[in-house]
Amino acid sequence: MTGLPPPPAGEPPAMRTTTAATGRRDGARQWRVGAVFAAAVLAADEYASLDRPAWSPPSWLLGPVCASRAAAALLLPYWAWVTFAASLDYSVWRLNG
């Protein structure tokens, strides 16, 4: 880590984030926000094209709800990985504990 000042005396070195790493995270975050926004727009358009009863909510209200479902679907790979990792950790703990 060149160019970074040393930590204060008596404190352990902390993890430091470089500007490049922060830029990558911000770019990924912007992509995810854009994907959720696009899903909301598509869901609102699809809902607007359906035949609905008079008491149904307007499309601008239902779009964010559908986007929430799309966002939840995007979390499925994360859920699968966390489940796998937890199972692996548990198995290693059982075999070595």
Side-chain angles (χ1 to χ4, degrees):
M1 289 192 220
T2 60
L4 296 175
E11 289 186 24
M15 275 186 101
R16 298 174 186 210
T17 306
T18 63
T19 307
T22 303
R24 284 193 299 270
R25 277 199 314 263
D26 289 344
R29 185 177 302 134
Q30 289 172 351
W31 184 86
R32 286 190 301 260
V33 168
V36 170
F37 178 75
V41 169
L42 292 173
D45 287 344
E46 185 177 337
Y47 183 72
S49 68
L50 297 174
D51 292 330
R52 302 180 312 261
W55 51 268
S56 66
S59 60
W60 59 266
L61 181 63
L62 191 61
V65 173
C66 293
S68 298
R69 288 183 182 171
L74 291 173
L75 287 174
L76 288 176
Y78 172 75
W79 175 81
W81 171 250
V82 168
T83 302
F84 171 76
S87 300
L88 181 62
D89 287 345
Y90 178 73
S91 297
V92 169
W93 176 74
R94 289 287 311 253
L95 291 172
N96 295 288

